[in-house]
Amino acid sequence: MDTTVTILVPTYNERDNVIPLVRRIDGALAGRSYQVVFVDDDSKDGTAQVAAALSPEYPVRVIVRRDKRGLASAIVDGIKETTGQVIGVMDADLQHPPETLPLLLDEIENGADIAIASRYIKGSGLQGWALARRVISRGASFLARMLLPFIRPVKDPLSGFFVFKRRVVAHANLRPTGYKILLEILTEGESAKLTEVPYTFEARSKGQSKLSIFQEIDYLKHVYSLMKRRGELFRMVKFSLVGISGVGVNIGILYSLTEFAGLFYLASAAIAIEVSIISNFSLNNYFTFADRRAPGITGFFRQLGKFNLVSLVGLAINAAVLVLFTETFGVYYIFSQLFGIAMATAWNYLGDIWWTWK
Ligand code: GDD
Ligand code: MN
């Protein structure tokens, strides 16, 4: 068993950061057995050479990849090329303060499988981020936690700074696109115990961020791929099918009560709405959200109540969009209605996955 703590650091053009980084890691991990492994994507500024020159003095290793590019895939290669049983991941640019490493390692020693340095819990901070970047980061985080319910307990699933036990990924088929290696590990890895430790994400000291619109697109592709792998995409399809079945139920009841029972059509419509909500709920409960179904009869009625509320708000959204688009924007009423249905369905899905079957 290799008990060395392996710190994987992806680099691309970080020449001026590697020396202060290694010095600070060495200071923070004094007394522990550790190794810093740089995974460099053939930087043009001599990062690999500067890092390699540190190796007589510090336990530093450099892996250079010639044609592969990408932060997350660099970490996957770093995992494959090393044997340490505890692995840390952090950026080279000193935005992730090495002094947080001992706190993360303490969590691992106390039984955590993954310890995440978090920007979004009590005691955390963010330095030098413009409002736009804060909003994008929060939005991206929210999107992941919404669409991938299994990572919801993690407040900062997009963190690039964390420590984990190798056994978490021992049987995992890691195949990330883009930046977010932690998301991949949370999806494919096996971890029983997660903890988060606050830290302050510092301003970049030297060099430039590589984050661009391409990473944002990669991020969306990655979330889509993770949804597919974990059956979350299929869940959306099931939810839509149930919704369509509800339309059938609604029309059937509306017609029968009006034609055969002689009810006024608006009274039939009110009953039809409630009956279709109940049938949608039952189908979703045993089909779409079978894995998140609350136990017992109280659980059933609590979720039914929530589902009812979400659906009624959905109906109001549908009606409001219909009226607004038709009356105010002069849109053909059938198109307004189609748009209203789309908005209400999105609302219902998010409300139900976030709240009803949380
Ligand atoms: N090997 C390799 N290949 N490394 C890369 C590549 C690449 O294609 N792109 C970036 N890196 C390295 C950088 O050299 C740096 O060490 C680290 O990955 C982070 O890159 P930045 O460009 O500084 O990213 P950021 O500061 O915008 O975002 C980081 O911090 C966020 C908050 O923790 C990333 O780690 C995000 O994933 C993270 O959410
Ligand atoms: Mn950075």
Short mmCIF file of all heavy atoms in Angstrom, two decimals, residues 223-263:
data_model
loop_
_atom_site.label_atom_id
_atom_site.label_comp_id
_atom_site.label_asym_id
_atom_site.label_seq_id
_atom_site.Cartn_x
_atom_site.Cartn_y
_atom_site.Cartn_z
N VAL A 223 -22.57 17.67 -18.42
CA VAL A 223 -23.78 17.45 -17.61
C VAL A 223 -24.76 16.55 -18.37
O VAL A 223 -25.34 15.61 -17.81
CB VAL A 223 -24.45 18.79 -17.22
CG1 VAL A 223 -25.82 18.56 -16.60
CG2 VAL A 223 -23.55 19.56 -16.25
N TYR A 224 -24.90 16.80 -19.67
CA TYR A 224 -25.79 15.98 -20.50
C TYR A 224 -25.34 14.52 -20.48
O TYR A 224 -26.15 13.60 -20.28
CB TYR A 224 -25.79 16.54 -21.93
CG TYR A 224 -26.62 15.75 -22.91
CD1 TYR A 224 -28.00 15.93 -22.96
CD2 TYR A 224 -26.02 14.84 -23.78
CE1 TYR A 224 -28.77 15.20 -23.86
CE2 TYR A 224 -26.79 14.11 -24.68
CZ TYR A 224 -28.15 14.29 -24.71
OH TYR A 224 -28.91 13.58 -25.59
N SER A 225 -24.06 14.31 -20.66
CA SER A 225 -23.52 12.94 -20.64
C SER A 225 -23.74 12.26 -19.28
O SER A 225 -24.13 11.09 -19.21
CB SER A 225 -22.03 13.00 -21.00
OG SER A 225 -21.33 11.91 -20.46
N LEU A 226 -23.55 13.01 -18.20
CA LEU A 226 -23.75 12.44 -16.87
C LEU A 226 -25.22 12.10 -16.64
O LEU A 226 -25.55 11.07 -16.03
CB LEU A 226 -23.26 13.40 -15.79
CG LEU A 226 -21.75 13.71 -15.81
CD1 LEU A 226 -21.41 14.79 -14.81
CD2 LEU A 226 -20.93 12.46 -15.51
N MET A 227 -26.10 12.95 -17.16
CA MET A 227 -27.55 12.69 -17.03
C MET A 227 -27.91 11.40 -17.75
O MET A 227 -28.69 10.59 -17.26
CB MET A 227 -28.36 13.83 -17.64
CG MET A 227 -28.42 15.07 -16.79
SD MET A 227 -29.37 16.37 -17.62
CE MET A 227 -31.02 15.70 -17.45
N LYS A 228 -27.33 11.24 -18.92
CA LYS A 228 -27.62 10.06 -19.72
C LYS A 228 -27.13 8.80 -19.00
O LYS A 228 -27.87 7.83 -18.85
CB LYS A 228 -26.89 10.19 -21.06
CG LYS A 228 -27.65 9.61 -22.21
CD LYS A 228 -27.22 10.21 -23.52
CE LYS A 228 -26.29 9.27 -24.26
NZ LYS A 228 -25.86 9.84 -25.54
N ARG A 229 -25.90 8.89 -18.48
CA ARG A 229 -25.31 7.72 -17.82
C ARG A 229 -26.07 7.32 -16.57
O ARG A 229 -26.16 6.15 -16.25
CB ARG A 229 -23.86 8.04 -17.42
CG ARG A 229 -22.93 8.06 -18.60
CD ARG A 229 -21.53 8.18 -18.09
NE ARG A 229 -20.86 9.36 -18.59
CZ ARG A 229 -19.79 9.91 -18.04
NH1 ARG A 229 -19.28 9.38 -16.93
NH2 ARG A 229 -19.23 10.96 -18.55
N ARG A 230 -26.61 8.29 -15.85
CA ARG A 230 -27.30 7.97 -14.60
C ARG A 230 -28.81 7.83 -14.77
O ARG A 230 -29.54 7.78 -13.79
CB ARG A 230 -26.99 9.03 -13.55
CG ARG A 230 -25.57 8.90 -13.00
CD ARG A 230 -25.40 7.61 -12.18
NE ARG A 230 -26.00 7.75 -10.89
CZ ARG A 230 -25.34 7.89 -9.75
NH1 ARG A 230 -24.05 7.88 -9.73
NH2 ARG A 230 -25.98 8.00 -8.63
N GLY A 231 -29.28 7.81 -16.02
CA GLY A 231 -30.72 7.61 -16.24
C GLY A 231 -31.56 8.85 -16.00
O GLY A 231 -32.79 8.77 -15.97
N GLU A 232 -30.94 10.00 -15.83
CA GLU A 232 -31.72 11.22 -15.58
C GLU A 232 -32.40 11.72 -16.85
O GLU A 232 -33.44 12.36 -16.78
CB GLU A 232 -30.85 12.31 -14.97
CG GLU A 232 -30.39 12.02 -13.55
CD GLU A 232 -31.54 11.82 -12.58
OE1 GLU A 232 -32.59 12.47 -12.72
OE2 GLU A 232 -31.39 10.99 -11.66
N LEU A 233 -31.82 11.41 -17.99
CA LEU A 233 -32.43 11.81 -19.24
C LEU A 233 -33.68 10.97 -19.50
O LEU A 233 -34.72 11.46 -19.90
CB LEU A 233 -31.41 11.60 -20.37
CG LEU A 233 -31.39 12.64 -21.46
CD1 LEU A 233 -31.21 14.03 -20.89
CD2 LEU A 233 -30.27 12.32 -22.44
N PHE A 234 -33.54 9.67 -19.21
CA PHE A 234 -34.65 8.75 -19.36
C PHE A 234 -35.79 9.17 -18.41
O PHE A 234 -36.96 9.07 -18.74
CB PHE A 234 -34.18 7.33 -19.07
CG PHE A 234 -35.18 6.26 -19.41
CD1 PHE A 234 -35.95 6.33 -20.56
CD2 PHE A 234 -35.36 5.17 -18.56
CE1 PHE A 234 -36.87 5.35 -20.86
CE2 PHE A 234 -36.28 4.18 -18.84
CZ PHE A 234 -37.05 4.28 -20.00
N ARG A 235 -35.41 9.67 -17.24
CA ARG A 235 -36.42 10.14 -16.29
C ARG A 235 -37.26 11.26 -16.91
O ARG A 235 -38.47 11.29 -16.76
CB ARG A 235 -35.72 10.64 -15.02
CG ARG A 235 -36.66 10.73 -13.83
CD ARG A 235 -36.11 11.59 -12.72
NE ARG A 235 -34.93 11.10 -12.04
CZ ARG A 235 -34.93 10.20 -11.07
NH1 ARG A 235 -36.05 9.64 -10.68
NH2 ARG A 235 -33.80 9.85 -10.49
N MET A 236 -36.59 12.19 -17.61
CA MET A 236 -37.32 13.29 -18.26
C MET A 236 -38.29 12.76 -19.31
O MET A 236 -39.40 13.28 -19.45
CB MET A 236 -36.33 14.23 -18.96
CG MET A 236 -35.73 15.24 -18.05
SD MET A 236 -34.78 16.39 -19.09
CE MET A 236 -34.38 17.61 -17.87
N VAL A 237 -37.83 11.74 -20.04
CA VAL A 237 -38.69 11.15 -21.07
C VAL A 237 -39.92 10.52 -20.40
O VAL A 237 -41.06 10.74 -20.83
CB VAL A 237 -37.92 10.09 -21.89
CG1 VAL A 237 -38.85 9.35 -22.83
CG2 VAL A 237 -36.79 10.75 -22.67
N LYS A 238 -39.71 9.78 -19.33
CA LYS A 238 -40.82 9.16 -18.61
C LYS A 238 -41.80 10.22 -18.11
O LYS A 238 -43.02 10.06 -18.21
CB LYS A 238 -40.30 8.36 -17.40
CG LYS A 238 -39.52 7.13 -17.75
CD LYS A 238 -39.14 6.44 -16.43
CE LYS A 238 -38.04 5.44 -16.58
NZ LYS A 238 -37.46 5.07 -15.27
N PHE A 239 -41.24 11.29 -17.57
CA PHE A 239 -42.09 12.36 -17.04
C PHE A 239 -42.97 12.94 -18.15
O PHE A 239 -44.16 13.20 -17.94
CB PHE A 239 -41.18 13.45 -16.45
CG PHE A 239 -41.92 14.51 -15.67
CD1 PHE A 239 -42.30 14.29 -14.35
CD2 PHE A 239 -42.22 15.74 -16.24
CE1 PHE A 239 -42.96 15.26 -13.62
CE2 PHE A 239 -42.88 16.72 -15.52
CZ PHE A 239 -43.25 16.48 -14.21
N SER A 240 -42.37 13.12 -19.34
CA SER A 240 -43.15 13.66 -20.46
C SER A 240 -44.24 12.68 -20.89
O SER A 240 -45.36 13.10 -21.19
CB SER A 240 -42.23 13.95 -21.65
OG SER A 240 -41.15 14.73 -21.23
N LEU A 241 -43.91 11.40 -20.93
CA LEU A 241 -44.91 10.40 -21.32
C LEU A 241 -46.08 10.40 -20.34
O LEU A 241 -47.25 10.35 -20.74
CB LEU A 241 -44.28 9.00 -21.37
CG LEU A 241 -43.29 8.77 -22.51
CD1 LEU A 241 -42.66 7.37 -22.41
CD2 LEU A 241 -43.98 8.94 -23.86
N VAL A 242 -45.74 10.49 -19.06
CA VAL A 242 -46.80 10.54 -18.05
C VAL A 242 -47.67 11.78 -18.28
O VAL A 242 -48.90 11.72 -18.22
CB VAL A 242 -46.21 10.51 -16.62
CG1 VAL A 242 -47.28 10.83 -15.58
CG2 VAL A 242 -45.57 9.16 -16.34
N GLY A 243 -47.01 12.91 -18.58
CA GLY A 243 -47.74 14.15 -18.84
C GLY A 243 -48.73 13.99 -20.00
O GLY A 243 -49.88 14.43 -19.92
N ILE A 244 -48.26 13.32 -21.05
CA ILE A 244 -49.13 13.10 -22.22
C ILE A 244 -50.31 12.19 -21.83
O ILE A 244 -51.46 12.46 -22.20
CB ILE A 244 -48.32 12.50 -23.39
CG1 ILE A 244 -47.33 13.55 -23.92
CG2 ILE A 244 -49.24 12.02 -24.51
CD1 ILE A 244 -46.28 13.02 -24.86
N SER A 245 -50.03 11.18 -21.03
CA SER A 245 -51.12 10.30 -20.59
C SER A 245 -52.15 11.10 -19.79
O SER A 245 -53.36 10.86 -19.88
CB SER A 245 -50.58 9.13 -19.76
OG SER A 245 -50.41 9.52 -18.40
N GLY A 246 -51.67 12.09 -19.04
CA GLY A 246 -52.57 12.94 -18.24
C GLY A 246 -53.52 13.75 -19.11
O GLY A 246 -54.68 13.98 -18.73
N VAL A 247 -53.05 14.15 -20.28
CA VAL A 247 -53.91 14.89 -21.21
C VAL A 247 -55.07 13.98 -21.64
O VAL A 247 -56.23 14.38 -21.66
CB VAL A 247 -53.11 15.39 -22.44
CG1 VAL A 247 -54.06 16.04 -23.45
CG2 VAL A 247 -52.04 16.38 -22.00
N GLY A 248 -54.73 12.72 -21.93
CA GLY A 248 -55.76 11.74 -22.31
C GLY A 248 -56.79 11.56 -21.20
O GLY A 248 -58.01 11.60 -21.44
N VAL A 249 -56.29 11.39 -19.98
CA VAL A 249 -57.19 11.22 -18.83
C VAL A 249 -58.10 12.45 -18.69
O VAL A 249 -59.32 12.34 -18.54
CB VAL A 249 -56.38 11.00 -17.52
CG1 VAL A 249 -57.28 11.06 -16.30
CG2 VAL A 249 -55.63 9.68 -17.59
N ASN A 250 -57.47 13.62 -18.78
CA ASN A 250 -58.20 14.87 -18.62
C ASN A 250 -59.34 14.97 -19.64
O ASN A 250 -60.50 15.21 -19.28
CB ASN A 250 -57.21 16.03 -18.78
CG ASN A 250 -57.82 17.38 -18.46
OD1 ASN A 250 -58.91 17.70 -18.92
ND2 ASN A 250 -57.12 18.17 -17.66
N ILE A 251 -59.02 14.77 -20.91
CA ILE A 251 -60.03 14.90 -21.96
C ILE A 251 -61.13 13.84 -21.78
O ILE A 251 -62.33 14.12 -21.92
CB ILE A 251 -59.38 14.76 -23.36
CG1 ILE A 251 -58.32 15.87 -23.58
CG2 ILE A 251 -60.44 14.79 -24.47
CD1 ILE A 251 -58.88 17.26 -23.71
N GLY A 252 -60.71 12.62 -21.44
CA GLY A 252 -61.68 11.53 -21.25
C GLY A 252 -62.68 11.85 -20.16
O GLY A 252 -63.90 11.68 -20.33
N ILE A 253 -62.21 12.35 -19.03
CA ILE A 253 -63.09 12.67 -17.90
C ILE A 253 -63.98 13.87 -18.26
O ILE A 253 -65.19 13.88 -17.99
CB ILE A 253 -62.26 13.01 -16.64
CG1 ILE A 253 -61.36 11.85 -16.24
CG2 ILE A 253 -63.15 13.46 -15.49
CD1 ILE A 253 -61.98 10.82 -15.36
N LEU A 254 -63.37 14.87 -18.86
CA LEU A 254 -64.12 16.07 -19.24
C LEU A 254 -65.30 15.68 -20.15
O LEU A 254 -66.44 16.09 -19.94
CB LEU A 254 -63.18 17.04 -19.97
CG LEU A 254 -63.79 18.31 -20.58
CD1 LEU A 254 -64.38 19.20 -19.47
CD2 LEU A 254 -62.74 19.11 -21.35
N TYR A 255 -65.03 14.85 -21.12
CA TYR A 255 -66.05 14.43 -22.08
C TYR A 255 -67.12 13.58 -21.40
O TYR A 255 -68.32 13.85 -21.51
CB TYR A 255 -65.38 13.65 -23.22
CG TYR A 255 -66.34 13.26 -24.32
CD1 TYR A 255 -66.70 14.17 -25.32
CD2 TYR A 255 -66.91 11.97 -24.38
CE1 TYR A 255 -67.58 13.83 -26.34
CE2 TYR A 255 -67.78 11.62 -25.39
CZ TYR A 255 -68.12 12.55 -26.38
OH TYR A 255 -68.98 12.20 -27.38
N SER A 256 -66.68 12.59 -20.64
CA SER A 256 -67.65 11.67 -20.01
C SER A 256 -68.56 12.40 -19.05
O SER A 256 -69.79 12.22 -19.07
CB SER A 256 -66.93 10.57 -19.22
OG SER A 256 -65.90 10.04 -19.98
N LEU A 257 -67.97 13.23 -18.17
CA LEU A 257 -68.80 13.90 -17.17
C LEU A 257 -69.78 14.87 -17.82
O LEU A 257 -70.91 15.02 -17.38
CB LEU A 257 -67.92 14.64 -16.14
CG LEU A 257 -67.13 13.74 -15.20
CD1 LEU A 257 -66.34 14.60 -14.21
CD2 LEU A 257 -68.05 12.79 -14.43
N THR A 258 -69.34 15.51 -18.88
CA THR A 258 -70.21 16.48 -19.55
C THR A 258 -71.30 15.77 -20.37
O THR A 258 -72.49 16.09 -20.26
CB THR A 258 -69.38 17.40 -20.47
OG1 THR A 258 -68.27 17.89 -19.73
CG2 THR A 258 -70.20 18.59 -20.97
N GLU A 259 -70.89 14.78 -21.15
CA GLU A 259 -71.82 14.14 -22.07
C GLU A 259 -72.73 13.11 -21.38
O GLU A 259 -73.91 13.04 -21.66
CB GLU A 259 -71.07 13.44 -23.20
CG GLU A 259 -70.23 14.38 -24.05
CD GLU A 259 -71.07 15.45 -24.76
OE1 GLU A 259 -72.19 15.12 -25.21
OE2 GLU A 259 -70.62 16.61 -24.83
N PHE A 260 -72.13 12.29 -20.51
CA PHE A 260 -72.91 11.18 -19.94
C PHE A 260 -73.47 11.50 -18.58
O PHE A 260 -74.54 11.02 -18.20
CB PHE A 260 -72.08 9.89 -19.88
CG PHE A 260 -71.43 9.56 -21.21
CD1 PHE A 260 -70.07 9.26 -21.30
CD2 PHE A 260 -72.19 9.55 -22.38
CE1 PHE A 260 -69.49 8.97 -22.52
CE2 PHE A 260 -71.61 9.26 -23.61
CZ PHE A 260 -70.25 8.97 -23.68
N ALA A 261 -72.76 12.32 -17.78
CA ALA A 261 -73.27 12.60 -16.44
C ALA A 261 -74.03 13.93 -16.40
O ALA A 261 -74.58 14.30 -15.38
CB ALA A 261 -72.13 12.61 -15.43
N GLY A 262 -73.99 14.65 -17.52
CA GLY A 262 -74.77 15.88 -17.62
C GLY A 262 -74.24 17.05 -16.80
O GLY A 262 -74.98 17.98 -16.50
N LEU A 263 -72.95 17.02 -16.43
CA LEU A 263 -72.38 18.15 -15.67
C LEU A 263 -72.09 19.32 -16.60
O LEU A 263 -71.83 19.14 -17.79
CB LEU A 263 -71.07 17.71 -15.01
CG LEU A 263 -71.16 16.88 -13.73
CD1 LEU A 263 -69.76 16.67 -13.17
CD2 LEU A 263 -72.03 17.59 -12.69
#
